[in-house]
Amino acid sequence: MSHENKFQLIATKANDGFTIKYNNYFLHSMYNPQAEAVKFAEKHYQKGHLHVLFGIGMGYIAQEIIKKMSDNDYLLILEPEQDILEQCLKEEQNKNLLDLENVQISQSSNRDLVRRKFPELFEKHKKKFTLIISLNYEKAFPEDYKEVTTLFKDLVEEAIIYLNTGNRFAQDWQVNFTHNLYSGFEANALSQLAGQLDCPIVIASGGPSLMKQIPFLKMHRDKFFLICAGSTIGTLTREQIFPDLVVAIDGGIANYNHFKNIQTDVPLAFPFQIHEKIPKEYKGSKFVFHLLFHKLYNELIAKVYGTKLTTFPGAASVANASLGIATYISKGPICLIGQDLAYTDNATHADGNESQSTFNEDYKRARGMFYTQGYYKDPILTDAVFMTMKRWFEDFIQQTDRAKTIFNCTEGGAKIEGMNQMPFELYIDRYCNGGYEIPQIIEISEKNIRTIKEWKNFQQIMNEISFNLKKAQKIAKTASDEMINNKGFTPKLIKSLDRYDQTLAECMENNFLYFILTPLINNIMYGSDNLDHGNDKENRQVIYNKSLYMYQTVFQCISEIAPHVEEVLLKINERVQDIEKGNIDYE
């Protein structure tokens, strides 16, 4: 956002301070901005919250909020005017702002930083978030104010959807990850396909508008590389259309139900959180990749697989992931079809999709549907989940250098801002002219043959995980029992707990239990029971309750996942024995 007006620095009438005048609006009191900031912070500070302050001014408000903050609070400061930010940081009393670990300052136009930082901070603070608008900033910077408030509305929606999904499926995803370590070990790495294609790509998603494109798909099927986004495989195979690659990412039982009756040998690309039965039972060749929002697993995966896997940005949908994969494997043009991101013709999905249905007013209210701009600029019904997927596409288009050759050919649904629109028939005429060779990707990669050395390394790592889980489980049970028997902290108990904590940390340093322990850790660190400075008795009870909750929950989490680890380890042991006996021809 460009700002033509220069600010004025004006001395205040008390305390040798300064205020700022911008666009004829004072950003602090002309008399005593310090006292004003104290009252302002008292009104807006929320204990245990992630705070975003729009407008730093001369730093008075930020400093007063910081004085009230605990170690569990965080302050993100966004300033729309670079000159004001520089002036503020010149002041001696504000130099500490750059050194505090739980304070970050940025220009409000730096959306990339905000988008990167916010989801993690929002998760840590258990959705406790406060947006604070500094005095008169909404008047002095009306366009920036509108952009910032819209941005955080969108970010909160996205974060709530992601966190609710993550918390709801935490145990399922942990189970999936455990079993998919094995499935992925047997699969090909998606990196084998990097840049291997230069043909046009069509990504078919399961929106209602897909049905109008079915005739063109059939008629020109041999002219492009077809990627199927998840459950759309049901619609395509029903129409006797077979893609070149299926991408699936969802970890729920509903996604497995989409695939369990599908008979096809089309190659499958999958990440570790996919429902574990899909790659386990899938008949076609398989390619494994990694999603960035599970970055804590990177080190463990690299250790197991002997290399880093291809990693894509965390995707809000399988169609999002499919676009990332398409740009990774092909240099050619790409188009999306069936990507409605809306309830076109009051339908949820295309015909043939297991989830396809129409809906009534009760369903509309339950989903919180609202209208957004459609493909043809007409209003169309959508919801917050679809908008999260839509914003992912829009962010991707802004960041990629391939934007000119990525097209939305859905011809229906919601408009994806920044993405070129083109009728699907025109895309075929212009880009799918037969001048490309459409390869079979199964021929690009060799079957993944693991050596006996690699299998034994995998075996050793899973044995270590099994051993550490059993050890941690025993320690967690012992610690919780001792706490219950003591009914409070004693010097002897504190000494024991310190020792248990150290051992627990060592047992879990590989982040194997990331999915199910992350909600636990955040609940302990940022839950409603925070320490109250000055009240030692209540603080001891808070610490006691959180510690007991941690040990009991760690014990429960390990009890739930340990049988799955043993199941995978048994399969590895059997495979190693078969290789050693010569029952399988491995190097």
Side-chain angles (χ1 to χ4, degrees):
M1 191 69 60
S2 61
H3 305 118
E4 296 180 359
N5 296 290
K6 296 295 181 182
F7 72 91
Q8 295 175 261
L9 197 62
I10 301 173
T12 59
K13 297 178 180 178
N15 298 334
D16 298 322
F18 289 91
T19 186
I20 291 174
K21 188 176 184 182
Y22 191 93
N23 272 352
N24 292 319
Y25 292 102
F26 285 100
L27 305 184
H28 302 290
S29 165
M30 272 287 294
Y31 179 71
N32 192 337
Q34 187 73 45
E36 176 187 60
V38 170
K39 293 179 181 178
F40 188 89
E42 187 69 35
K43 179 180 178 181
H44 291 91
Y45 167 77
Q46 298 288 324
K47 184 179 179 181
H49 278 220
L50 162 62
H51 298 84
V52 175
L53 177 65
F54 177 60
I56 194 169
M58 289 298 290
Y60 299 114
I61 292 172
Q63 292 289 3
E64 292 304 318
I65 291 174
I66 290 168
K67 289 177 184 177
K68 303 179 75 64
M69 285 168 55
S70 68
D71 291 340
N72 290 339
D73 296 322
Y74 195 95
L75 178 61
L76 177 59
I77 304 171
L78 303 176
E79 171 55 50
E81 174 54 62
Q82 179 65 25
D83 290 341
I84 291 178
L85 179 58
E86 291 175 0
Q87 180 63 47
C88 174
L89 296 178
K90 286 179 184 177
E91 303 298 317
E92 186 65 32
Q93 69 272 18
N94 292 329
K95 290 184 178 178
N96 68 316
L97 295 176
L98 297 175
D99 300 324
L100 298 172
E101 290 187 2
N102 56 348
V103 175
Q104 183 154 5
I105 306 172
S106 173
Q107 275 198 274
S108 58
S109 59
N110 190 353
R111 290 191 171 205
D112 288 345
L113 179 141
V114 175
R115 284 194 174 277
R116 285 197 310 271
K117 295 286 293 185
F118 184 81
E120 178 185 355
L121 292 169
F122 190 72
E123 179 181 3
K124 283 183 176 180
H125 290 82
K126 294 182 66 61
K127 309 176 191 176
K128 293 184 289 187
F129 162 68
T130 300
L131 176 61
I132 304 172
I133 309 300
S134 287
L135 293 162
N136 281 335
Y137 262 76
E138 76 280 12
K139 299 173 184 176
F141 304 93
E143 292 184 37
D144 299 85
Y145 167 74
K146 183 178 179 181
E147 285 192 4
V148 165
T149 52
T150 300
L151 173 62
F152 279 100
K153 175 181 175 294
D154 293 344
L155 286 173
V156 168
E157 282 182 356
E158 292 172 15
I160 287 174
I161 290 168
Y162 173 69
L163 288 177
N164 288 346
T165 302
N167 291 337
R168 179 183 174 189
F169 294 109
Q171 183 180 346
D172 292 341
W173 284 355
Q174 189 68 57
V175 170
N176 291 338
F177 177 80
T178 302
H179 288 279
N180 287 331
L181 273 176
Y182 187 94
S183 295
F185 193 75
E186 289 191 312
N188 299 289
L190 189 68
S191 58
Q192 293 181 22
L193 304 181
Q196 291 292 315
L197 313 181
D198 62 1
C199 55
I201 287 185
V202 174
I203 301 173
S205 297
S209 295
L210 177 64
M211 299 313 298
K212 73 176 71 171
Q213 315 295 13
I214 293 295
F216 296 112
L217 280 177
K218 287 183 175 180
M219 188 181 309
H220 303 283
R221 178 61 195 89
D222 62 342
K223 296 180 180 178
F224 48 78
F225 187 93
L226 179 59
I227 296 179
C228 170
S231 61
T232 312
I233 189 66
T235 301
L236 296 182
T237 53
R238 190 190 76 159
E239 297 289 339
Q240 293 298 299
I241 299 171
F242 297 96
D244 297 291
L245 179 67
V246 179
V247 179
I249 68 172
D250 293 341
I253 188 66
N255 195 36
Y256 170 65
N257 289 335
H258 288 304
F259 280 87
K260 66 180 180 180
N261 295 320
I262 298 295
Q263 300 298 319
T264 180
D265 60 356
V266 172
L268 171 73
F270 69 94
F272 292 94
Q273 82 270 22
I274 191 175
H275 193 284
E276 48 102 3
K277 288 186 177 180
I278 294 176
K280 190 182 293 183
E281 299 176 5
Y282 197 81
K283 303 302 182 186
S285 60
K286 294 179 275 285
F287 295 85
V288 64
F289 63 93
H290 193 39
L291 289 175
L292 186 60
F293 50 55
H294 306 139
K295 59 187 177 182
L296 289 178
Y297 280 135
N298 286 351
E299 186 176 336
L300 175 60
I301 292 168
K303 188 177 178 182
V304 171
Y305 287 41
T307 184
K308 290 185 178 180
L309 293 182
T310 303
T311 301
F312 295 98
S317 74
V318 65
N320 296 152
S322 296
L323 179 57
I325 289 172
T327 58
Y328 178 74
I329 66 176
S330 177
K331 308 176 189 72
I334 299 166
C335 87
L336 312 179
I337 59 173
Q339 194 54 63
D340 288 69
L341 301 169
Y343 297 95
T344 306
D345 298 327
N346 285 348
T348 59
H349 295 80
D351 297 343
N353 191 299
E354 287 264 342
S355 301
Q356 198 277 337
S357 66
T358 54
F359 54 85
N360 56 24
E361 289 299 317
D362 290 338
Y363 184 84
K364 264 175 78 172
R365 283 191 292 271
R367 294 287 298 186
M369 293 186 195
F370 54 89
Y371 285 94
T372 191
Q373 185 181 28
Y375 187 94
Y376 297 109
K377 299 186 178 180
D378 53 323
I380 192 164
L381 271 176
T382 188
D383 63 22
V385 174
F386 279 142
M387 287 296 97
T388 299
M389 302 172 190
K390 175 177 176 289
R391 285 190 288 269
W392 189 99
F393 282 124
E394 291 167 349
D395 289 343
F396 185 89
I397 287 296
Q398 283 186 344
Q399 296 167 18
T400 182
D401 59 0
R402 302 275 298 278
K404 291 182 179 179
T405 55
I406 298 175
F407 303 92
N408 183 5
C409 301
T410 297
E411 299 183 72
K415 180 179 177 61
I416 301 174
E417 297 292 342
M419 187 178 291
N420 295 317
Q421 293 186 176
M422 179 183 290
F424 185 43
E425 188 174 11
L426 178 58
Y427 176 82
I428 293 173
D429 289 342
R430 183 171 296 178
Y431 295 104
C432 307
N433 51 26
Y436 299 90
E437 181 182 354
I438 310 299
Q440 296 289 320
I441 64 171
I442 190 62
E443 298 172 0
I444 294 175
S445 62
E446 299 177 359
K447 185 178 180 182
N448 183 24
I449 304 296
R450 293 284 186 178
T451 66
I452 183 64
K453 182 178 179 181
E454 289 174 316
W455 277 105
K456 285 191 172 182
N457 177 65
F458 190 13
Q459 182 185 48
Q460 180 182 343
I461 291 169
M462 291 307 293
N463 271 319
E464 289 173 358
I465 289 173
S466 174
F467 175 81
N468 284 330
L469 286 179
K470 291 173 183 176
K471 188 175 180 180
Q473 185 181 34
K474 182 178 179 180
I475 291 170
K477 181 69 165 61
T478 302
S480 60
D481 288 347
E482 288 188 16
M483 288 191 71
I484 291 170
N485 291 336
N486 279 273
K487 298 180 180 180
F489 287 123
T490 64
K492 183 179 179 180
L493 177 61
I494 291 172
K495 188 175 181 179
S496 296
L497 294 181
D498 286 342
R499 188 173 67 252
Y500 296 148
D501 288 348
Q502 178 64 34
T503 308
L504 273 176
E506 292 170 359
C507 290
M508 298 183 182
E509 63 181 358
N510 62 15
N511 294 307
F512 179 75
L513 294 179
Y514 165 74
F515 279 124
I516 50 180
L517 288 185
T518 295
L520 159 69
I521 293 168
N522 287 339
N523 191 48
I524 292 170
M525 292 295 295
Y526 301 96
S528 56
D529 294 330
N530 291 312
L531 299 182
D532 183 4
H533 298 294
N535 193 329
D536 292 341
K537 184 177 180 180
E538 287 190 11
N539 286 345
R540 283 195 299 271
Q541 189 61 44
V542 168
I543 294 171
Y544 176 88
N545 292 341
K546 287 187 174 186
S547 298
L548 181 59
Y549 171 76
M550 181 192 73
Y551 294 126
Q552 291 176 333
T553 309
V554 166
F555 176 83
Q556 182 62 32
C557 288
I558 295 175
S559 299
E560 291 168 355
I561 200 63
H564 297 279
V565 172
E566 296 307 310
E567 183 181 336
V568 170
L569 187 53
L570 178 62
K571 289 169 66 177
I572 297 171
N573 291 339
E574 290 174 349
R575 180 58 63 89
V576 169
Q577 290 173 10
D578 284 341
I579 298 171
E580 290 180 331
K581 290 177 180 178
N583 296 337
I584 300 178
D585 184 18
Y586 277 72
E587 296 177 12

